[in-house]
């Protein structure tokens, strides 16, 4: 099927930094192309090590770029500030890597919500992040801090929480959404319980209904090989992918009357509200405060 | 080739077509596409459908979207009575599509507003049918009614329904064909060789499925040849039509509207039903299911019965004006009828006697919607169910639900003798999981309970229902053997506490700001109702928990048997039909 892609006009989405590729996967002088918010862009690594990116329809206009946490970040408009900070990842003795960049036919906010969601562990990640009948999601704390969504004291029984885990445990996660299309969690490191491992999902929004999910890892594990660490994340994400591709509508509905949340979804409720307040329209079905009529599936990229 | 069908050539727009067609019945697959324990995916007029058959053969046609997070239900699991969503394991009952269980909150009964959208379903001529907003049943086609209809293979076409209709006369059936339009997207084709009725299912604006039914079944020796012949003819027709369709501009896909849902509060609690006698049911069957125990099968006068969760009870309004509570024995997802078991109480004040003696098959009774104050968790590593006498009724619904879901459990059933066991056939089905303890003295019962509750292991739960003394004994034992309160669940038949109504006190209603007095002899419940608050209630003797409200300030005088000791001590909730206040004032969260 041929699809024509709508280019994003949402000023909120245009002013964000978007992850595009893991810098380690770039070869000098090789120009690559990808889709970002419906725009074809080219990017690459110059001989001097600097990064560059441009829209294909405006090849001479250099787009603002950043290199942080191992990724090339691109802004298609006027950036507001820098890429968000990840204090843990700045520590010198860490292993930071891109576990995988995986294409999924869904919208970015659906993937963010899935990442925030503990309730699906026993059903989608059975044997790894959860197992039946341990299905209860106990209450946790959600706050908005510095204009970010945070969820703390998120406890869940996990039979195999990480590549290095042996046996079941109750894990405690802290979730953080610093960006409409990026989400991460921290949990105490098995190697050094006083410090935090970070797992992130940095989403490249190709179109409203297609993403490339960059799986970010920043861990203290010195024993597991890259391959082992990557494979674990890849298995987990490959279990989420078919679910994400079977959600309808693909765009995240912000109208609270379209889907039914429960207490366990507190973080998702806060996230949806936060997106509404940001005024984001790309990749969501905006809620209409005054609507009394029918909710429709909204926009579609044809 | 001749063609004598008439057609309205005026071009209708896609939207008009939807409005027009939403009242029509369309086939959405062959009946054998919905095999037991499978979920069939279908699409009609741009709307995706999850089609599944329960073990009792009831055909469910639902919107293909879990209300929780929109995941397609067609990739869920059909366990025979419930459909389980693959994402978070929410379960929905056959028939009503009401949610019966939310694994993330295993202790809570899901709000009854959580209900998927259902569509009418029917089966005729070997096909499954549905309609978006129509009524009645699938169309009757005289040519098929008169013959011996035989459904051929259904075939998807990448073409709009109207285009297929236009070209149907090119179907090669040997010799001349005549095409007659019988209705929208429904045509009869006759030739010397065969006469076939075609039903075209408009899947989306550019996609269709052609269902074909022979008016006369081929004789069995010939069947394969006939099937082959028509499969070839239809495939050839499809190739031609798809070639034509591919040259036309691609039509815009239809966008069916999503229905809005009543928002629930986050605790998943919906206000319980206010209307005390909202349903009318017929006694479809009444039978003796054990010595002194009559069972009643209640079916709705119209529509579906509200969704039941295991452990539910209903109020039954008796012809003699009395209202009594009975537990439903229905397992989760069993919605065809409600079944209750009623023991004739020797000291009956007219409740059980009336049901035993006066109520007959065919009588109409008024009942309340099910109330869920004795909820079953389905996340225990082991569940112990303890029933004394007629206390079996809620526990039977739990046992069957656990059994269906493959959860480990044991049902201990204490009764006078084997002839006093209710629903023996259903107990039989439970096999070794059901243990009966017959003719024990109170002392022997105590010893037996001691054995059963001897050791507590993590993630074990016990549910107890039976006569007061037995319940008290079991609770004491559980406490003595270090069962945490959260793992012990009970339901009393009645409250035998002598209720003290002497004190007078004030109540303040936090949400409305009203302050009023509860005088001696009055109940909080009555006073709340006098204030115009639509308070639900059921047993009105402090046993069922329907009338519980939150307490913000003040010290309740608990006189119920519903709250657990910890809940009583915390003073955060009060059973308003019997309990009162020790402090001069209670501030209620209402
Ligand atoms: S989306 Fe179906 S259970 Fe959550
Ligand atoms: Fe997941």
């Amino acid at each position: 099927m041929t699809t024509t892609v709508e280019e994003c006009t949402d000023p909120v989405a245009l002013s964000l930094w978007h992850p595009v590729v893991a810098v380690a996967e770039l070869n000098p002088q090789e120009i690559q192309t990808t889709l970002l918010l419906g725009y074809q862009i080219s990017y690459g690594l110059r001989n001097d090590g600097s990064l560059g990116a441009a829209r294909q329809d405006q090849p001479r206009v250099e787009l603002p770029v950043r290199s942080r946490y191992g990724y090339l970040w691109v802004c298609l408009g006027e950036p507001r500030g820098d890429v968000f900070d990840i204090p843990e990842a700045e520590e010198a003795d860490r292993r930071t890597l891109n576990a995988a960049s995986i294409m999924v036919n869904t919208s970015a906010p659906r993937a963010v919500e899935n990442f925030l969601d503990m309730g699906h562990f026993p059903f989608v990640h059975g044997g790894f992040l959860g197992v039946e009948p341990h299905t209860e999601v106990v209450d946790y704390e959600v706050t908005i801090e510095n204009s970010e969504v945070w969820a703390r004291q998120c406890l869940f029984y996990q039979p195999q929480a990480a590549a290095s885990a042996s046996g079941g445990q109750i894990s405690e996660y802290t979730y953080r959404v610093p960006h409409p299309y990026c989400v991460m969690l921290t949990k105490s490191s098995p190697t050094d319980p006083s410090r935090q491992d970070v797992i992130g999902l940095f989403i490249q929004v190709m179109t409203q209904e297609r993403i490339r999910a960059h799986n970010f890892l920043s861990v203290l594990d010195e024993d597991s090989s890259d391959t082992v660490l990557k494979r674990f994340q890849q298995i987990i994400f490959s279990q989420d992918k078919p679910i994400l591709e079977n959600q309808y509508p693909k765009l995240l509905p912000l109208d609270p009357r379209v889907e039914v949340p429960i207490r366990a979804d507190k973080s998702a409720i806060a996230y949806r509200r936060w997106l509404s307040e940001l005024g984001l329209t790309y990749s969501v079905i905006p809620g209409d405060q005054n609507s009394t009529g029918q909710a429709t599936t909204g926009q579609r990229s044809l | 080739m001749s063609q004598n069908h008439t057609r309205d050539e005026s071009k209708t727009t896609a939207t008009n077509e939807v409005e027009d067609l939403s009242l029509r019945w369309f086939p959405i697959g062959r009946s054998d596409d919905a095999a037991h324990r499978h979920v069939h995916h279908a699409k009609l007029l741009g709307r995706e459908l999850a089609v599944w058959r329960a073990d009792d053969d009831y055909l469910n046609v639902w919107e293909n979207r879990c209300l929780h997070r929109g995941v397609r239900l067609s990739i869920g699991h059909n366990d025979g009575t419930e459909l389980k969503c693959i994402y978070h394991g929410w379960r929905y009952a056959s028939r009503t599509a009401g949610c019966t269980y939310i694994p993330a909150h295993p202790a809570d009964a899901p709000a009854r507003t959580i209900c998927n959208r259902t569509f009418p379903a029917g089966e005729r001529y070997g096909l499954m049918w549905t309609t978006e907003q129509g009524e009645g049943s699938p169309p009757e086609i005289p040519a098929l009614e008169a013959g011996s209809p035989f459904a051929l293979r259904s075939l998807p076409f990448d073409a709009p329904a109207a285009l297929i209709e236009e070209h149907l006369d090119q179907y090669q059936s040997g010799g001349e064909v005549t095409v007659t339009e019988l209705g929208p997207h429904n045509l009869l084709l006759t030739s010397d060789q065969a006469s076939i009725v075609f039903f075209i299912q408009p899947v989306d604006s550019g996609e269709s499925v052609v269902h074909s039914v022979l008016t006369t079944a081929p004789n069995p020796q010939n069947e394969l040849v006939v099937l082959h012949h028509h499969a070839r003819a239809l495939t050839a027709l499809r190739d031609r039509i798809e070639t034509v369709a591919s040259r036309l501009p691609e039509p815009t896909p239809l966008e069916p509207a999503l229905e809005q849902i009543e928002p629930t509060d986050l605790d998943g609690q919906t206000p319980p039903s206010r209307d005390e006698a909202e349903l009318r049911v017929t006694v479809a069957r009444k039978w003796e299911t054990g010595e002194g125990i009559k069972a009643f099968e209640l079916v709705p006068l119209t529509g579906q019965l509200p969704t039941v969760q295991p452990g539910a009870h209903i109020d039954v309004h008796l012809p003699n004006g009395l209202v009594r509570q009975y537990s439903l024995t229905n397992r989760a997802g069993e919605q065809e009828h409600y079944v209750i078991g009623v023991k004739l109480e020797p000291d009956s004040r007219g409740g059980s006697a009336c049901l035993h003696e006066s109520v007959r098959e065919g009588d109409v009774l008024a009942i309340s919607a099910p109330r869920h104050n004795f909820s079953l968790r389905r996340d225990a590593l082991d569940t112990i169910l303890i029933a004394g006498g007629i206390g079996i009724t809620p526990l039977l619904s739990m046992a069957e639900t656990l059994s269906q879901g493959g959860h480990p459990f044991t049902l201990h059933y204490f009764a006078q003798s084997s002839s006093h066991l209710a629903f023996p056939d259903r107990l039989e089905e439970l096999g070794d999981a059901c243990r009966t303890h017959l003719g024990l003295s109170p002392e022997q019962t105590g010893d037996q309970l001691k054995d059963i509750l001897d050791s507590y292991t993590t993630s074990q739960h016990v549910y107890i229902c039976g006569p007061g003394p037995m319940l008290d004994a079991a609770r004491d034992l559980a406490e003595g053997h270090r069962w945490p309160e959260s793992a012990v669940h009970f339901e009393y038949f009645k409250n035998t506490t002598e209720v003290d109504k002497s004190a007078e006190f004030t109540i303040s209603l936090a949400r409305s700001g009203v302050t009023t007095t509860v005088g001696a002899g009055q109940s909080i419940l009555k006073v709340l109702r006098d204030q115009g608050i639509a308070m639900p209630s059921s047993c009105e003797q402090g046993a069922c928990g329907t009338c519980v409200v939150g307490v913000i300030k003040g010290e309740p005088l608990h006189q119920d048997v519903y709250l657990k000791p910890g809940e009583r001590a915390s003073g955060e909730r009060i059973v308003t039909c019997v309990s009162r206040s020790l402090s001069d004032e209670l501030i209620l969260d209402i």
Side-chain angles (χ1 to χ4, degrees), chain A residues 114-115 117 120-121 124-125 129 236-237 239-240, chain B residues 87:
Chain A
N114 174 67
F115 189 92
D117 173 63
H120 77 287
F121 289 170
V124 179
H125 307 295
L129 305 184
I236 298 300
F237 198 76
Q239 292 171 329
D240 286 317
Chain B
Y87 197 6

Side-chain angles (χ1 to χ4, degrees), chain B residues 62-129:
Chain B
W62 296 357
E63 177 132 50
N64 192 16
R65 182 172 80 95
C66 177
L67 284 185
H68 178 216
R69 284 298 177 249
V71 168
R72 288 194 170 86
L73 291 170
S74 56
I75 59 171
H77 301 292
N78 164 2
D79 84 351
T81 54
E82 294 172 297
L83 190 67
K84 178 185 173 193
C85 176
I86 199 170
Y87 197 6
H88 305 94
W90 287 23
R91 290 171 169 274
Y92 297 97
S94 174
R95 291 171 195 258
T96 60
C99 182
T100 54
Y101 188 62
I102 296 178
H105 300 308
D108 303 346
R112 56 177 199 158
T113 43
I114 307 180
C115 193
N116 282 306
R117 183 159 183 203
T118 61
F119 296 97
E123 293 186 77
R124 187 163 281 169
Y125 313 132
L127 303 174
M128 303 184 289
W129 300 73

